[in-house]
Amino acid sequence: MGRDPRDRYCQASVSEHTNVDNSELSGSGLIAEKTRRLALLDEMRDQGRNPYPYRFDRTHTLDEVRSTWGDLEPGAETDARVSVAGRVMRKRDSGKLVFATIRDRSDDIQLFISKAVVGDDEFAAVKALDLGDWVGVEGTMMTTRKGELSVKPERVTLLSKAIRPMPDKWHGLSDVDTRFRQRYADLIINEQARRNFEIRHETVASFRRTLASHGFIEVETPVLHPEVGGAHARPFTTHHNTLDMHLYLRIAVELYLKRLIVGGMERVYEIARTFRNEGISTRHNPEFTMMELYQAFGDWNDVMDITEELITTAAHDALGTTVVSIRGEQVDLAKPWPRKRMIDYASEGAGVALHPSMPLTDVRKIAADHDVFVEDRWGSGKIIEEIFEKTSENDIVRPTFVTGHPVEISPLARVDRNDSFLTERFELFVNGRELANGYSELNDPVEQRARFEEEQAAKDAGDPEAGSLDEDYLRALEYGMPPTGGLGIGIDRLAMLFAGVDSIKEVILFPTLRPEQ
RNA sequence: GCCUCUCUAGCUCAAUGGUAGAGCAGUGGACUUUUAAUCCAUUGGUUCUGGGUUCGAGCCCCAGGGGAGGCACCA
């Protein structure tokens, strides 16, 4: 003892883990339960068995087992040998026969464990298994009389002992606080949780395939930004010690990706964790994921096309259909999607024709007539957007491109070639939520400087969300950026749409929460 | 930031202001075709925290904490 460096872990006593003296234990509270299981570990080690072996060779995942032998007749016995592994989810002990259900990432399967087959010692070990333990199983394929496909083990190896009891096997884990804080427990027990994150994964994987097929290159740009820009939002701030430099966590990746377009990379995208220091709600998490892409020689029309393709393809890949359920209604996301100008929505909502060229006093009066709050510094364009949001946004259920945002609220978008008060910009709305935002990119360095100066003025005037003037970005534009279309899609919100959930926390593995206690 | 709701055993939930209970999980026992296995027995509580009212508080009141929903905020 003492020579093996593992001793210090292996010999850790029950009381060390729980601060409870073994002899005083009774009952089955959490501490007692953990103590009981820790005692099983000691027992195993005394017998020379390792409750935490290093690896296990499996021949099949459980869905492979089911797809290969799923058609066996009831009562079938085979010589087909498999090695599978999974977590013990349920156990039914009927004396000399134990039925257990194990689960791996792909499926569940029943184990048909016979004392006569595995022998007395191993059978005793099987009886000592707790729900939640990981096991590796070597055995043959069979079905029960009732036809349940099962593995008949010749050997059952404990791969990892669970010290903590699992949530209720039938009712699962429903306390939302616990589900979000202990996502591992949520994933163990709740099928829906596993499904939501599979949908999210399939969505992102689909995006990557679609983008690759169009010649886009995936890039990674800085998370730590010396300037705030690319969006209208409050940033997180941080500090680099050695450089003694104030930094912001990025609120968008736009300005860096467009630098790459200047550099000649032509088609780039980033799946970017982004940070905004704002409120938390069912639609907002302080860190979230955006996919932004930029395509040289394209404009907003090209970008709307690829938006439709990305999302409809992802729906197919993640769900097998483009039909999703929204507000209890079946909605087909199949393209093409309607396109309608923001000023037309706002005009309909207000019952009066609206245009950002109108005098500010007139627009303010219309806003007041519709109980739309207006800040002093806002111009006609910003007010029109507010009127749109108040009167129309929530009613857009089916995918719709809202287009032609006023110049005032679009400092990085190019002016509409047919209307100098509007931009060639769109936002995609589904279920009343903004899912995507794109435009023909402003590439005139002189005009961009002027727009930045307006932003800076707003910031100086006290707007905490306004961007600042980014000299390096302007220098990049001075080298010449080709005509470019750009797009951002909110991955979390798209995953929400596909998964059919109403809270962003359902599609973020570890949402931001206050610390426990 | 504001409003409403919520917090009881490891999990899911009960409990007129009057002895804190059930199911699952756990423990002991029976059972070689179960599948939310079943049957018998049984352990387990800082009722989120701190005050207060009351003869008596899980329950009523006040303050605080966590969470959820809504509003506000939010390109």
Side-chain angles (χ1 to χ4, degrees), chain A residues 210-228:
Chain A
T210 300
L211 291 166
S213 75
H214 286 277
F216 284 87
I217 293 168
E218 183 168 9
V219 298
E220 293 178 276
T221 63
V223 171
L224 300 175
H225 287 192
E227 300 280 354
V228 175

Side-chain angles (χ1 to χ4, degrees), chain A residues 204-275:
Chain A
V204 173
S206 173
F207 269 33
R208 287 199 162 100
R209 285 192 296 270
T210 300
L211 291 166
S213 75
H214 286 277
F216 284 87
I217 293 168
E218 183 168 9
V219 298
E220 293 178 276
T221 63
V223 171
L224 300 175
H225 287 192
E227 300 280 354
V228 175
H232 209 204
R234 304 170 85 136
F236 286 91
T237 59
T238 187
H239 183 261
H240 188 278
N241 288 342
T242 317
L243 295 177
D244 190 21
M245 184 167 72
H246 190 69
L247 289 164
Y248 302 94
L249 301 192
R250 65 186 176 192
I251 59 169
V253 289
E254 170 154 4
L255 298 180
Y256 279 95
L257 293 185
K258 286 194 283 195
R259 283 170 168 94
L260 301 178
I261 300 297
V262 169
M265 293 182 78
E266 293 194 5
R267 295 186 179 201
V268 296
Y269 74 97
E270 180 164 3
I271 294 171
R273 187 71 60 85
T274 309
F275 306 85

Side-chain angles (χ1 to χ4, degrees), chain A residues 300 341 403-405 407 413-425 440 451:
Chain A
W300 63 332
R341 296 192 302 176
T403 66
H405 298 53
V407 174
R414 193 160 179 163
V415 167
D416 190 309
R417 62 199 83 180
N418 301 312
D419 185 336
S420 64
F421 288 90
L422 305 181
T423 57
E424 295 194 351
R425 177 177 172 193
S440 300
R451 301 263 201 105

Side-chain angles (χ1 to χ4, degrees), chain A residues 360 364 373-379:
Chain A
L360 186 54
R364 275 189 178 155
F373 173 77
V374 172
E375 297 244 17
D376 288 345
R377 61 175 180 268
W378 291 354

Side-chain angles (χ1 to χ4, degrees), chain A residues 482-499:
Chain A
T484 297
L487 168 67
I489 296 180
I491 296 292
D492 314 270
R493 290 185 182 177
L494 185 59
M496 286 169 67
L497 174 69
F498 289 166

Side-chain angles (χ1 to χ4, degrees), chain A residues 442-486:
Chain A
L442 176 56
N443 63 346
D444 176 340
V446 175
E447 185 179 348
Q448 184 66 74
R449 179 176 292 277
R451 301 263 201 105
F452 272 159
E453 282 167 354
E454 286 171 21
E455 281 264 295
Q456 185 68 53
K459 192 185 189 76
D460 294 343
D463 181 349
E465 291 151 10
S468 50
L469 193 147
D470 186 334
E471 280 292 352
D472 180 70
Y473 177 68
L474 290 170
R475 178 168 61 189
L477 288 189
E478 287 168 3
Y479 278 103
M481 183 168 85
T484 297

Side-chain angles (χ1 to χ4, degrees), chain A residues 51 92 172 259 314 391 397 455 500:
Chain A
R92 298 174 290 282
R259 283 170 168 94
T391 63
V397 174
E455 281 264 295

